[in-house]
Amino acid sequence: MSVTESATASATVGENLLEMRGITKSFFGVTVLDDVDIDCRPGEVHALLGENGAGKSTLMKILSGAHQPDGGTILLDGEEVSFGHPRDAQAKGVSIMYQEFNLLPERTVAQNIYLGREPHRGPIVDQGAMERSTAELLATLDAAGSIRPGSVVRNLSVAQQQTVEIAKALSFRSKILVMDEPTAALSPHEVVSLFERVRLLRARGVGILYISHRLGEIFEIAQRVTVLKDGRRVGTLDVAATTPRQLVRMMVGRELDHYFPPHAVPAEIGQTRLVVHGGGVAGKLHDIDLTVRTGEIVGIGGLAGSGRTELAQALFGVRPFDAGTVELDGKPIRIRSPRQAVRRRMGFVTEDRKVEGLVLLLSVRDNSLLALRSLGSWLRRGAGGPVSIRDLLRSLDLRGAGLDQEVRYLSGGNQQKVVLAKWLASQAQVLIFDEPTRGIDVGAKAGIHELMRELARAGGAILMISSELPELVGMSDRILVMREGAIAGELASDASEDAIMLLATGEHDTVSVA
Amino acid sequence: SGGGSSPTATSQPTVAPSQPAASAPASAAPSASAAAASCEGATANEFFDQAVCEKQLAQRSATPTGPADQPWIQAIDPVMVDTTKYKKDGPYKICFTNAGVNNPWRVVGFNTMQHEVKLHPEITDFVHVDANGDDNKQISDLGDMVKSGNCSAIIVAPNSTKALTPAVEQACASNVPIIDFDRGVTTDCPVTFIHPIGGYAFGADAAEFLASAVKPGGNIIALRILPGVDVLETRYLAAEAIFKQKGLKIVKVAQTGGDAAKTKQIVSDAIDEFGTIDGVWMDAGATSVAAAEAFEDKGLPVPPITGEDQNDFLQAWKSKNWTADAPTYPTYQWRTAVIAAVDILQGKEVPKEWILPEPNITKDNLDQYISPDMPPLFYALCGCQKMPGFPDDWKK
Amino acid sequence: MSVGANGAPGDVTRAAPAAPGDEADPWQRRLVRLMRGAGPIFVVLIVLLVLIALKNPRFIQPAVFLASYLKPAAPLAILAAGQLFVIVSGEYDLSVGSLITVTVTSAALLIHGDPALTYPILALLFGIGIGVGLINGTVTTRLHVPSFIATLGMLLILSGGIFYATGGAPRGSLPENFRAFGRAGIEGVPFLGQLPYAVIVLLVVGTVFWLLLHRTNFGQQVFAVGGNARAADLAGIDVAAIRTACFVLSAVSAMIAGVLLGGFAGVSAQVGETYEFQAISAVVLGGATLGGGRGSVPTAIAGALTLQALFTLLNLFGFPAPLRSVVQGVIIVAAVAYASYRLRRSR
Amino acid sequence: MTAPRMALPGGPPGAWARALRTGLGSANAAPVYLVLLVIFVVSWVIVGLAGGSFLTVENVTSVLVRSVALGIVSAGQTLVILAGSLDLSVAYVISVAAVVSSVIMNGDPGRIVIAVVVVLGIGVAVGLTNGLLVTKLRVNPFIATLGVALVLRGLLNAAFDNFAGKVAPQFETLGYGGIGPLPWSVILLVVTVLAVWWLLRSTPFGHHLYAVGGGEETARLSGVRSHRVIIGAHILCSLAAVLTGLFLVSRIRSGAPWIGPDGGYDLESIAAVVVGGTALTGGRGGVWGTLAGVLILAVLDNLFNQLQFNSFLKDVVRGVIIIAAVAIYAQRQRRMSR
Ligand SMILES: Nc1ncnc2c1ncn2[C@@H]1O[C@H](COP(=O)(O)OP(=O)(O)OP(=O)(O)O)[C@@H](O)[C@H]1O
Ligand SMILES: Nc1ncnc2c1ncn2[C@@H]1O[C@H](COP(=O)(O)OP(=O)(O)OP(=O)(O)O)[C@@H](O)[C@H]1O
Ligand SMILES: [Mg+2]
Ligand SMILES: [Mg+2]
C-alpha cells in the first residue's frame, strides 16, 4: 500500500554484522510483521522508526529469540542463525533492552543485571564480583550515587529502573545491542550520559539497533534509519540524507495535517463535570488540581513515570487519593473503588488492554457487557441490556469478528474498540483514556480518535493520557503536563510539542515528533 | 492427606471363643463345633501360620481362669511372670501412649479405661498422649515418656505392629514396666502383652456361622477393610479355609476401606452382578448395617450376615430379625491394661501373654448384649455396665 | 493460587475455542463450542457406560441404572457442580470433604435419631454451610490468604472441631426421614420403578447451578472474575462478593452432598474423606481450568459421573483396588495435558 | 510505610526485623521467627505454670526430633513453591522410599548404600516426571502432582500392603542414635536446611529459581532456561521426600506403605512452607522461614502433648494459626508493594 522509497543506503552483504531477511510474524492470526528486512553494520547505530504497533518491538524480540518468526532468516556475520531461546541469542552476542520493564521487583539490582549469567567461582555465585561490576556499570551511567547494586528493584523509581535496564543491556558486552525506547523515562542529562555510552560502544565496533519515537535523538546518534509501517518495511535511509518531515511521511503515510478531528468549539463545551483540588497519593502524586467540563477532551502529557497512570488510577478509585477533594457535578464525592466510579458513570480505558481492559477468554459480547452487568442485579438474565451490543459494535465499525468471537483473537485496534464498547454500553459520562491508541494501527487509530471526539460532542467529559505528542496536540482541547507526580502546567490546544517537552522535563530538550 | 492405607483408620482386630466361657449363659454356639473346624486349605501367604491358627481355633473352647462375671480379668492358658522387681509404693503415675481415639471402638475403649483409672485411688496421675494414628509421632511420644523418667508404668497401644518395636525396646531398657495391649510388637520385652485370642478365631466364628446358615454352594461376599493388616488378614485366612471346607463359594472379595457408603455400593453392585448373594462375611462389624441396607434398599431379604458387638448392628439384628452372628473384640481389654499396670506395680504376678476371652454373640445370647438406650456406635463388650457413671458417661 | 509454569494466561489449560472469523449464529456457534470444548468427556462417559453394560447387562435396566449408578453418583456430581463455581472464579475449595463429614456427624449428633428434629437441624446445617462459605470467601478475598491455604486451614478447623465435639467418633444416629433423601425414592414410577430422591436432587441442583452459571448476570461475572480479576475489578465488578458467593455455593453443595451421603449409608467418620480431590478431579475432567475462567456445569457433572462409572467398571472387572487410583491419576493428568495441548494447537 | 511491620505483640522495631531479614535472606522470614518466638515463649509460660518442663535439653531435642520428618520434606517443598509450582506427591514418595529401602536392605548392613542409591534414583525419576508434566505438557502442578500421587499410591499399595523388609540395625542409628544429646536426625535436618539455603543463596540455580518464580517470562527473556529450573526444583523436592522416607524407616525399622500419607506430609509441608512466609505464588521466601514454620507446628505439638490437650482441638488451632500467619504476611506484602 505505502510507497517504498528506494532503500538507498543498503549495505553490500559481508560487511554486515547482522542481516534479517523476509521476517514474517503473526499473533492469533493478526499479521504484525510482513516480509521485513533490516541489517546492521559494526560500529553503526541503525534506528528503527514507526508508529505504535508498527512491529518494531516484535521484530527486535525475534532478533533476541523471545519470539520465533513464522518466516525469514537471520544472518550473523554472514552465517545463518536461529534463536529458539533468548539464551541462544545472548550466546551469539545479541543483547536487547526491552521496551517494557523486564526486571524482577523482588530481586536486587545486581541480581537482575546478571540474571542468567551470574559470575561464579565453581558452583558458587560470586556475589561480591557481581555487585562490584554492577557498581562500575552504574558509575559509567552516572547512576552510582542514586542506585545501589544491593537495593531491591521494587523500591526504585521508574527512571531508575530504566537506568538499570540500560546497565543490564550494556553488561552483555555483545556485538549487537538492541535498545527499544531506552530514553522513554529518562531526563535529558540521563539521556546525554546514555549517548556517551552509545558512542563508546560504536567505537568498540558494536552494532546498535535503536528504537525511539523521538526524531531528535535519531538525528543525533543514528547513521541509518529504517521505517516500519503496519508491519512492513517502508524503506531504509541514511540519516544524513533525510529530514524529519520525510520520515514522518513515511511513517504515517500521509501529511500530519487534517489527520485529527477538529477541536471542540467553545459552544460545545458545557458545565464543569469533574474537579480535583489538591489531590495526592502518598509517594506518587501531590497537589493535583484539575477540571474537566462536558464536551471537552483534556490531554495529559508527561514522561513515562511522571504519574499519569497513577492519576488516572486515583480518579477511578484503583488507588484512591489520600489527600484533596474531588467533585462530580458540583457535589463532593469520595471514590474508593472502581466499582463506585463505574456506578457514578465513569469509565477508564486503561494503558494495558490485555491485562486491565479485557477478559481475553470471553467473547466480544461478554466483554462489551462487562461494565453494564456489574451495574445490574445478579439474577438478571445475562445478555442484552438497554443498548443493543450488536448495533453498538456496528457503530464502532468492529470488523471481522462475530459477537461470540473470543477477544484474544482480535487485532489490537478491534480489542480497543471492544474496551470502548464496554464503557459506551454502561453509558459512562466521564471517560479516562490512558494511552488510548498504543499499539494500534493508523486506520483504527483515526477511528478511535473520531469516536473520542463524538463522545465529547455527545456531552462526555474526557481525560486523555498520551505519550504521543501529536496525539496530545491533535486531540486535546487543553493539555495538562505532569512531572514527578504533580501537574507542571497547563497549555492550550495549539501548544507546540517543544513547549510540552519543556514542561515535562523541566528543562530544554531535543525537539520530538511522533 | 489424599487418603492413606493405614490400619488405624479401620475398626479393630477381634477374636472370639465360641464358648463365651462364663460371660454368657451356656448357649448353643455355632452348630459347627470348634472341634470340627480346622485351618486346612488356607492360602499359605506371608501372613499365614498354620500352628497359630490351629491354636487359636482350639483356644476358643478353652476355659479361662478367673471370675466368670469379669471377663476382663480372665486369662486363657496364662503363663505367669514374677514382677516383684517392679514393686513400688504408690501413688502411681501411669503413662499411656495411645495410637489414637479415631474410631468408635477406641472411643468406647478409652472412655472405659479412664473410668477404670478412677477405680484405683493409688493412681494419682494418668497421662494420656494421642498419636493421631501416626507411627512416627507415637515413637516420639513414647520416647518422651521414657526420657521424662517420672512414669511409674507405661501402657502402649501401638498404632501398628512392628513400627513401635524399636521404641518399645528402648522403653523396656529403662526398667519402667511396659504394658502392651491391642496390637502387638515384635519383641517380648514388655512385662505383659494383653490381647484377645486372635484374628483366625474371629474369622472362623463368622465363617462357621455362615456355613451353618447358608445352603451348601451358596454365594458368599467377603467384605474386608483393607488388605495387608496382619490382624485383619488372619481373619480372612481362617474364614477362607472354612468356606472351602464347607463348600461355600466366595463370589467376591472387596475392600471397603471401612467406609459405609463404599460398602453399600460394593454390595449393591455385587447383587446386580451375581443376582443372588446368600451370605455376607465381614472382617469387622462397623459397616455391617450398611451392607445389610444394600439388600433392604433393593427390597431383598437380608441374607445371613456377620458383624460385631456394635450397638447399631445388634439392634438392627434384633428388630429386623436377621439371621446373624457377631464375633467380638471386646473393648474391655482397655480396663485390663490399667489393672495389669497396677498389679505389676504392686508386685503381683501377671500373665506374660494375657489372652482374654471373648463372647461370640449369637441369636440365643443376643438379648443380654443389646442395650436399647445406648448410642448406635456403643460396643456392648466394654465390660463397663457395672462401672460408676454408666450409662451416662458412655452416652455423652 | 499461582500455578507457576502455568501462571501465564497462555499456559493454563482451556477447551478449544471456536475458529475465528466464522460467522455462524450464536446458538449454532454455542453448540459447536459445546461439542468441541466439552465433547470429549461425554464421549468418554458413554464409552465407559457401554463397557459396563457389556460386562453386566442388568446395568442398563432403568431401575438398576438409577439405583446402583446415578444414586450413589449424585453426591459427587453435586459437589463437583459446586466446586466448579470456585474453580471458574479462579480459586480452590479444599474444605468440602471435611464439610461433608461435619454435615453427617453433626446431623447425627444433633438429631439423635429424633425424626421431629430433622428439618430444624437441616436448616441449621445449611446455616453452617453458608457460614463456612462466607468465612472461606472472606478470608480469601478480604484477608488475601490464597484460597488453597484458607480452605486447607478450614479443613483442619472443621474436621478437628467436629471430632472434638463428638469426642473422636460419630455419636447419635440419623432418623429414617433424614436418611430418606439419600436412601429412598418415589416408588412405582413407570419403567423406572423407584426414582431415587438423590437423583431428583441432582437434577434440581444441576439445573439451578446451570442456570446460575450460564444464564445469569452473576454467572457471567464469575467467568469474568476468573478470566481476569483485575479487568473485572476495573469494570466495576465486585470481585470479592462474586468469589465469596462462589465459596458459599460450593459449601452449600457440600452440605447437600453430605445429606445425601449420610442418607445413603448412615453415620460414618470417613464419609467425607478425599472428596475435595475427587470433586476437583471431576471438575477438571469436565474441562474446567484451574486458575479460572473456563468450565461448565454439565461437563463438570459429566466428569463426576465419569469417575463414578470408572470405579464401577474397575470394580466390575475385579481390578485390584489399589490400581484404581493409578487409573484415576493417569486419567486426570491425561485429560488436563490433552486440553492444554489442544489449547496451544488452537493458537 | 515502615510503620508497624508486624501485627504481632512484642514485634521489635523495623531495624531488628531488617537485620533478621538480611541475615535470613528472606523478606518474610523476620515475622515468621517472631511468630515462632511468641509461640515459644507463650508455650514456655503455659507449660511452666502447668508444672511441666519445657526448656530442658530433653524437651528441646524432642521438639527438634519431631520436626525432622516434616522439616526435611518441607525444605524440598520450599524449592518447588519458590519456583511457582507445588508438589502433592511427596507423601507417597516418602512411603515408597521407606518401603523400597527397607525391602532392599532386608536387615543386611552391606546393602545400606545400594538401598539409599536406589531410592534416591526413584526420587529423581518421580521429580523428573512431575517437572516434565508441569513444564513440557503444561499440566497444572496441582493436577500433575496429584495424579502422580495417585499413581504412586496405587503402585505402592498393589505391591506392598504391609510392613515390608527390614532396615539394617546400623541404619537405625539415624533414627535413634546421636552425638551426645544431639540426635543424628536433627543433624540431618540442619544439614538439609543449610544445603537448601546455600543452594538458594549462593548458586546460579538458586538465583534462577527465585527469578522463575518471580516472573517466568522475565527470567526466560533474560536467558534463564526456566523449564530446567522448574524440573530441577521438582527433582530436589522429591529427593528431600526420599530423605524423609529414609529417616522414617530408620525409626520404624520396617517399611510401612502408610507412613507418608498418615503423616499428612503433602498438605502439611505446603502449610509449613507458607506459614514460613514463602509466597504460594512463588519467587518470594526462603528455607529458614520454612524451618520456623515447621518448628512452630512442632512446638504446638509439644505444648498440646504436655497439656494433654485434645488432639482434635490441636487441628483447630493449627488451622487458625496457618490462616492467621498467612493473613499477616499478606497484609504486610500489600503494604510493602504500595
Ligand atoms: N505477544 C503478543 N501477542 C499478541 N499481539 C502482540 C504481541 N506483541 C505485540 N503484539 C501486537 O503486534 C503489533 C506490533 O506490536 P509492537 O510492540 O511490535 O509495536 P511497536 O512498533 O513496538 O509499538 P510501540 O511503538 O508502541 O512500541 C501490535 O498490534 C501489538 O498489539
Ligand atoms: N498500579 C501499578 N502497578 C504496577 N505498575 C504500575 C502501576 N501503575 C503504573 N505502573 C507502571 O509504572 C510505570 C509508571 O507509571 P506512572 O503512571 O507513574 O507513569 P506514567 O506517566 O503513567 O508512565 P506511562 O507512560 O508508563 O503511563 C508505568 O510503566 C506504569 O505502567
Ligand atoms: Mg515497541
Ligand atoms: Mg501510564
Side-chain angles (χ1 to χ4, degrees), chain B residues 2-3 9 101 103-104 107 252 255 257-261 264-265 268-269 272-273 275 293 296-298 376-377 395-396, chain C residues 55-56 58 64 68 71-72 167-173 179 183 261 264-265 268 270-271 274 277 308 312 315-316 321:
Chain B
V101 283
N103 67 48
V107 172
K252 189 168 203 67
Q255 272 82 33
D259 175 37
K264 194 166 173 180
Q265 179 64 35
S268 161
D269 289 350
D272 297 335
E273 189 179 352
E293 284 181 359
E296 295 175 344
D297 289 4
K298 290 187 180 296
L377 301 182
K395 281 186 188 174
K396 64 152 174 35
Chain C
K55 177 87 165 86
N56 170 17
R58 282 203 198 77
V64 176
S68 308
K71 183 164 110 180
R171 280 200 260 111
S173 67
R179 298 219 31 202
R183 208 183 159 185
L261 280 168
F264 179 60
S268 145
Q270 296 113 292
V271 59
T274 76
F277 291 106
Q308 180 73 19
T312 313
N315 186 357
L316 209 53

Side-chain angles (χ1 to χ4, degrees), chain D residues 65-89:
Chain D
V65 171
R66 285 170 187 274
S67 315
V68 172
L70 185 58
I72 295 174
V73 63
S74 303
Q77 190 72 259
T78 309
L79 292 172
V80 276
I81 291 183
L82 276 178
S85 187
L86 91 177
D87 188 348
L88 291 173
S89 68

Side-chain angles (χ1 to χ4, degrees), chain D residues 37-50:
Chain D
L37 192 74
V38 170
I39 291 184
F40 192 85
V41 171
V42 169
S43 312
W44 189 5
V45 173
I46 296 179
V47 172
L49 294 179

Side-chain angles (χ1 to χ4, degrees), chain A residues 56-57 99 180-181:
Chain A
K56 308 182 293 293
S57 297
Q99 179 177 15
D180 195 345
E181 301 193 27

Side-chain angles (χ1 to χ4, degrees), chain B residues 20 24-25 27 317 359-370:
Chain B
S27 61
W317 171 2
N360 177 31
I361 303 177
T362 67
K363 66 175 187 312
D364 309 296
N365 59 12
L366 173 59
D367 291 345
Q368 81 181 78
Y369 292 111
I370 284 195

Side-chain angles (χ1 to χ4, degrees), chain A residues 252-280:
Chain A
V252 183
R254 61 172 88 89
E255 296 297 328
L256 272 180
D257 341 322
H258 59 74
Y259 168 58
F260 292 97
H263 288 279
V265 299
E268 291 170 349
I269 297 180
Q271 86 283 15
T272 304
R273 205 70 205 263
L274 182 70
V275 180
V276 180
H277 287 303

Side-chain angles (χ1 to χ4, degrees), chain A residues 65-67 84-88 90 98 102-104 106-107 111 115-118 120 123-125 127 130 154 168 172 284 319, chain D residues 27 198 200-204 206-208 210-212 214-215 217-226 283-284 333 336-338:
Chain A
H67 289 320
H85 190 282
R87 198 178 190 88
D88 307 342
Q90 286 176 13
Y98 293 103
N102 257 289
L103 301 174
L104 296 162
E106 298 293 332
R107 307 290 283 167
Q111 287 166 337
L115 176 56
R117 51 207 173 87
E118 294 79 2
H120 51 277
I124 299 172
V125 172
Q127 316 262 4
M130 212 161 85
R154 193 198 323 109
K168 181 173 180 177
F172 282 92
K284 298 278 188 183
R319 293 151 154 220
Chain D
W198 173 81
L200 285 173
R201 192 174 164 291
S202 306
T203 67
H207 285 239
H208 298 170
Y210 277 104
V212 170
E217 185 59 13
T218 301
R220 199 181 73 88
L221 292 178
S222 306
V224 175
R225 298 209 180 270
S226 50
R284 205 174 58 242
Q333 195 53 42
M336 293 196 306
S337 72
R338 290 271 154 126

